[in-house]
Amino acid sequence: MTGPLGIEPAALLTEWTRRVRANNEQAERVRERPERPDFYAPVAGSFKVDPRRTNEPALDVLRAMVQPGETWLDIGAGAGRYALPLALAGASVVALDPSKAMLAGLREAMTEFEVGGITAIEARWPTEDPPVADVAFIAHVSYDIAEIGPFLDAMEASARRMCVAVLLSEAPATAAAGLWPAVHGEPRDLLPALPEFLALLLARGKLFNVWLGERGAMGYPSLEAIEGFSRQQLFIEPDGPGARRLHEVLPALAYERDGRYYLSDRPTPLGIVSWKP
């Protein structure tokens, strides 16, 4: 069936699902050990960040969207990168995430930075008993959701005033995609991201606003730090053959600038998308 703007939602949904499944099947094929029950447990601590930071233009845009006293449902809240600033801006935040480690990091950050007004719920979206909020919010969550249609249906059903999504033009894991040929001997199957998300909203008959900015190139304090990030994205273990290949090729593929180490020197376009449910 053709959507209201002449785009076929079914075709876009099928292609989104195909890309997510291809990405996941490739990961399962090269994985050196079975997946941990909590994928983010080894790196959850790295997601904690100062909620009062002033060097992130996208966060200023999100703060301005908050109407004091309303409720924001942060789906896939992680360690609170956005949940804490939204609470400081006057929202009552329901932070939902399936990772125990991430939610532990969220609670630690709430204590460390003295931020209240956040309720943490351990659950995977869509959940059987979804909370209802004024705003349903996702940040860097939808890239690997194969069943994106039901995910968005549930998100819109839980929002009274607005839905908001923060997405990059490339999924964050794409930063390590250039390492795949050297480590695994094949290119990485890439996930859908902001362009595909916008096309899908249009196909669903949604008119939206988009603020466009960018996220700077991701820098690391050392080559060892890049190795830690890359091992997770390559699904290899510190003592395995993949890690040995990574260690050999990384110095030639990474570079240093002003004491930081990078896999790419280009910023990534970032969008904040808002639409009425």
Side-chain angles (χ1 to χ4, degrees):
M1 178 182 293
T2 302
L5 297 180
I7 307 172
E8 296 185 4
L12 294 181
L13 288 169
T14 298
E15 176 60 11
W16 185 294
T17 300
R18 184 199 67 77
R19 291 183 62 177
V20 172
R21 289 179 176 168
N23 178 275
N24 184 63
E25 289 167 2
Q26 186 183 36
E28 292 304 313
R29 177 164 47 78
V30 304
R31 187 187 301 277
E32 290 184 345
R33 292 182 183 172
E35 184 175 356
R36 298 174 180 86
D38 191 339
F39 178 77
Y40 287 102
V43 295
S46 66
F47 286 84
K48 188 169 61 174
V49 63
D50 185 355
R52 295 177 176 87
R53 60 193 182 276
T54 58
N55 60 346
E56 190 175 335
L59 183 55
D60 295 333
V61 174
L62 291 172
R63 289 186 180 110
M65 289 181 171
V66 175
Q67 296 181 3
E70 69 180 358
T71 302
W72 280 54
L73 171 61
D74 187 351
I75 301 167
R81 180 180 182 88
Y82 293 106
L84 273 71
L86 291 172
L88 288 172
S92 175
V93 180
V94 178
L96 187 146
D97 200 279
S99 169
K100 289 181 182 293
M102 282 293 203
L103 291 180
L106 168 66
R107 296 184 181 99
E108 290 174 6
M110 290 173 63
T111 300
E112 178 179 345
F113 296 109
E114 299 180 338
V115 179
I118 300 175
T119 302
I121 298 177
E122 184 184 336
R124 185 175 298 278
W125 191 263
T127 181
E128 292 184 0
D129 187 21
V132 176
D134 297 293
V135 179
F137 170 72
I138 56 173
H140 307 301
V141 167
S142 61
Y143 309 109
D144 61 352
I145 303 297
E147 301 301 329
I148 189 65
F151 184 99
L152 291 176
D153 289 343
M155 182 177 173
E156 292 173 355
S158 289
R160 289 185 288 257
R161 180 171 75 87
M162 182 170 60
C163 293
V164 179
V166 178
L167 292 169
L168 292 164
S169 64
E170 299 175 340
T174 303
L179 300 171
W180 273 69
V183 175
H184 292 307
E186 60 186 82
R188 183 63 163 129
D189 286 317
L190 300 179
L191 292 166
L194 178 63
E196 294 81 7
F197 189 85
L198 297 180
L200 185 56
L201 286 184
L202 285 174
R204 289 165 62 89
K206 302 296 180 181
L207 298 180
F208 47 79
N209 294 316
V210 185
W211 175 90
L212 290 176
E214 62 182 27
R215 188 175 78 172
M218 294 297 292
Y220 298 82
S222 65
L223 281 176
E224 290 75 17
I226 290 185
E227 283 193 58
F229 162 78
S230 301
R231 282 197 301 268
Q232 187 186 39
Q233 300 302 330
L234 292 161
F235 304 92
I236 58 180
E237 298 298 319
D239 57 351
R244 290 191 289 274
R245 289 193 294 271
L246 174 64
H247 187 76
E248 291 172 358
V249 303
L250 188 59
L253 297 175
Y255 67 95
E256 184 269 338
R257 185 181 69 204
D258 299 329
R260 303 280 289 178
Y261 291 81
Y262 298 83
L263 289 171
S264 170
D265 62 352
R266 62 182 177 84
T268 305
L270 177 146
I272 299 178
V273 189
S274 60
W275 70 99
K276 293 185 180 296

